[in-house]
Amino acid sequence: MSYYKGIQCIKCGYVGREDEAFDACPVCGTQGNNVNFTTTYDFGQDLEKVRQEFLNAKGKGLWKHREFLPIAPETEPVSLGEGETPLLHCGRLGKSMGLHNLYIKNESVNPTWSYKDRLCSVAVTRAVQEERPVVTVSSTGNHGAATAAYSAAAGKPCVIFTLPQVPATMKTLMQSFGAYVMVTPKPIDRWTIMKKCVKEKSWYPLSGYIAPPIGSNCFGIDGYKTIAFELYEQLGDLPEFIAVPSAYSDGLYGVWKGVKDLQTIGLSGKKTKMIASEVFGSLKETLKEQAEGPVTVPSEWSISFSIAGPQGTYQGYAALKESEGYAETSSDEETIAMQLRLAKEEGIFAEAASVTSLVAIEKLAKEGKIAPDDKVVAVITSTGLKDPATTAEHLPPVPTIEPNYEELAKALKESYGYELK
Ligand SMILES: [Zn+2]
């Protein structure tokens, strides 16, 4: 079964029809605000029954709690074994930040090595359920790779629109799954053509195609709820803070929805706060100004290209306002330093955008907004292997040596600063 009920606007509560799901709310639109729809669920009166079902669920991975996903009970999930990722206590890194309970939710071990697999598993399953002819997405990488893989698993053609400057590794990954990958010279053009295909050819969109952006497919976003469910199961309750790298905030809002589900059915009373880590700080500025909607800030190309947008979304703002959370920025310099620190101190090589969550946590801890004993989870969204060339620029060239101790000791010292004892 599924508790899924319908969709409504995140801001004004307008109850939409499913065929309106990928366009911004028409009511907020008349006031000049672009706002995404979100799914709603009806858990009924007997919440004890819902709690028991949750606690006694037997499945594995993302589909373990499928009654909390917007998929009809008779629909077979399109799954590659996503979810159920490790939660790791970061003793060394946490200590250096003055935090005793710093954890990493390592989403880089998902089937296409990013947390986008959660969104795509649910959204491609919806595409199958609705018998759509083609799956499409606009993406700078991870979202495209995941869409391509799940479309392949579903046997659906997949057309991806991307940008010229996206790393070659990402484009190869997308094409390798059989997706038809296109570049449009102007960024805005990718949304124009995608929208046309959705409206006129009934293609199924896994990302948004609206400017200013609203976020992705609202059904797929519910896939991220399962991160909150897993954290609850892995920690025995929700943590005090969950930090998620954010551009259009699909992940941030999806995880927050999972937190709200657990609060609504009475499994957790924890006041979990969401943290958005950004590159240029649209949501940080929006919170500061208490603006009506997400403000635009100056932006440029960043090594955290998957989250390097000039403007956040209303759904991201909503997650921060509702949870009384924070947004914090990470410059490329801070990001690369954290990427190498995480790899060296904890053994996890994460994508640049992923570690912005740790930079944000460290800054908030320094400001006293996170207390030393608070449980804090950084969602590591993807692997560093998606863009190794950027990291390599910050590492020494590998020295070639003759096989003797003198040369070894010299090279260790000169290249790595390591003294042989
Ligand atoms: Zn609205």
Side-chain angles (χ1 to χ4, degrees), residues 241-254:
F241 292 93
I242 306 173
V244 187
S246 291
Y248 302 152
S249 298
D250 296 330
L252 183 82
Y253 189 68

Side-chain angles (χ1 to χ4, degrees), residues 124-274:
V124 172
T125 301
R126 281 284 308 198
V128 172
Q129 184 174 299
E130 296 182 20
E131 299 179 340
R132 300 295 189 103
V134 176
V135 173
T136 188
V137 71
S138 287
S139 168
T140 51
N142 288 319
H143 198 169
T147 301
Y150 282 84
S151 299
K156 292 259 178 218
C158 175
V159 179
I160 299 176
F161 301 101
T162 191
L163 301 177
Q165 60 270 56
V166 165
T169 313
M170 286 290 199
K171 289 180 193 148
T172 303
L173 191 56
M174 292 188 254
Q175 284 183 318
S176 70
F177 291 119
Y180 310 119
V181 183
M182 310 283 160
V183 162
T184 57
K186 279 188 286 173
I188 193 78
D189 287 347
R190 72 200 201 278
W191 290 339
T192 309
I193 178 68
M194 187 179 154
K195 183 175 181 179
K196 217 171 154 53
C197 295
V198 170
K199 296 289 173 197
E200 294 170 20
K201 304 277 181 199
S202 203
W203 289 13
Y204 195 73
L206 261 61
S207 66
Y209 47 70
I210 286 170
I214 56 169
S216 293
N217 181 305
C218 64
F219 305 103
I221 286 173
D222 284 10
Y224 294 126
K225 293 203 297 186
T226 58
I227 292 179
F229 298 165
E230 289 172 23
L231 291 179
Y232 176 86
E233 290 168 336
Q234 288 167 318
L235 288 168
D237 197 351
L238 289 166
E240 271 79 20
F241 292 93
I242 306 173
V244 187
S246 291
Y248 302 152
S249 298
D250 296 330
L252 183 82
Y253 189 68
V255 175
W256 171 237
K257 282 191 76 183
V259 169
K260 284 199 290 186
D261 277 359
L262 294 171
Q263 292 169 342
T264 303
I265 65 171
L267 267 185
S268 179
K270 194 62 81 71
K271 297 265 179 260
T272 302
K273 291 180 194 291
M274 302 302 297

Side-chain angles (χ1 to χ4, degrees), residues 188-394:
I188 193 78
D189 287 347
R190 72 200 201 278
W191 290 339
T192 309
I193 178 68
M194 187 179 154
K195 183 175 181 179
K196 217 171 154 53
C197 295
V198 170
K199 296 289 173 197
E200 294 170 20
K201 304 277 181 199
S202 203
W203 289 13
Y204 195 73
L206 261 61
S207 66
Y209 47 70
I210 286 170
I214 56 169
S216 293
N217 181 305
C218 64
F219 305 103
I221 286 173
D222 284 10
Y224 294 126
K225 293 203 297 186
T226 58
I227 292 179
F229 298 165
E230 289 172 23
L231 291 179
Y232 176 86
E233 290 168 336
Q234 288 167 318
L235 288 168
D237 197 351
L238 289 166
E240 271 79 20
F241 292 93
I242 306 173
V244 187
S246 291
Y248 302 152
S249 298
D250 296 330
L252 183 82
Y253 189 68
V255 175
W256 171 237
K257 282 191 76 183
V259 169
K260 284 199 290 186
D261 277 359
L262 294 171
Q263 292 169 342
T264 303
I265 65 171
L267 267 185
S268 179
K270 194 62 81 71
K271 297 265 179 260
T272 302
K273 291 180 194 291
M274 302 302 297
I275 298 170
S277 61
E278 307 177 279
V279 181
F280 304 113
S282 166
L283 291 177
K284 185 179 179 183
E285 192 56 34
T286 309
L287 278 178
K288 200 169 122 194
E289 291 178 18
Q290 288 292 300
E292 171 114 6
V295 301
T296 303
V297 292
S299 68
E300 57 191 343
W301 182 253
S302 158
I303 58 166
S304 304
F305 54 88
S306 52
I307 56 163
Q311 188 180 24
T313 58
Y314 191 84
Q315 63 184 12
Y317 189 30
L320 299 179
K321 275 202 299 188
E322 289 171 26
S323 72
E324 298 177 12
Y326 305 107
E328 197 45 84
T329 57
S330 180
S331 68
D332 279 2
E333 204 177 16
E334 290 167 327
T335 300
I336 201 81
M338 185 59 82
Q339 186 190 43
L340 295 173
R341 203 168 138 198
L342 176 67
K344 202 173 164 184
E345 293 181 20
E346 301 291 346
I348 295 165
F349 182 38
E351 190 186 37
S354 291
V355 304
T356 59
S357 55
L358 287 162
V359 174
I361 287 168
E362 184 166 43
K363 288 182 180 177
L364 292 167
K366 259 188 201 145
E367 288 172 22
K369 287 175 176 144
I370 302 175
D373 288 323
D374 284 341
K375 284 201 174 92
V376 191
V377 175
V379 180
I380 292 299
T381 48
S382 187
T383 170
L385 288 177
K386 299 276 177 84
D387 185 22
T390 300
T391 312
E393 287 170 17
H394 299 269

